[in-house]
Amino acid sequence: MRSVELSIRNDPAALAEIREALDQLGEAHSVADRALIALQVALDEIVSNVIRYAWPEGGAHDVRVRLAVTDTGVEVTVTDDGRAY
């Protein structure tokens, strides 16, 4: 598994799914613990901000997260249909 794609609801509880996927990907590809922790903090902040601010009108929405291990590191893509900020 060199990449994983997740679709979560805009609910802070769903952040656990992303953390678990990142941990599994990091373990499978021997990503250094320090780098994995830093990436987790950044990813939590990014997705938390999307969940909090992208849909001021509320409602259920999806946030898509793609994690990929490359030759030079880990790439993260976060996609949503919310308001840009």
Side-chain angles (χ1 to χ4, degrees):
M1 159 177 69
R2 290 199 54 86
S3 69
V4 62
E5 294 189 34
L6 304 162
S7 182
I8 64 164
R9 282 293 187 197
N10 58 325
D11 178 348
L15 290 170
E17 293 177 50
I18 298 171
R19 289 183 196 116
E20 179 65 27
L22 183 57
D23 285 345
Q24 289 176 1
L25 194 67
E27 185 176 324
H29 295 284
S30 301
V31 176
D33 287 342
R34 186 175 173 147
L36 203 56
I37 291 168
L39 183 55
Q40 186 62 61
V41 170
L43 189 54
D44 273 359
E45 186 67 19
I46 291 165
V47 177
S48 292
N49 283 336
V50 169
I51 290 170
R52 271 191 235 120
Y53 303 114
W55 301 282
E57 71 285 352
H61 297 272
D62 291 326
V63 178
R64 288 167 303 286
V65 178
R66 181 174 188 277
L67 308 168
V69 175
T70 68
D71 292 336
T72 58
V74 179
E75 292 179 359
V76 176
T77 305
V78 178
T79 310
D80 64 80
D81 66 351
R83 177 182 290 172
Y85 62 91

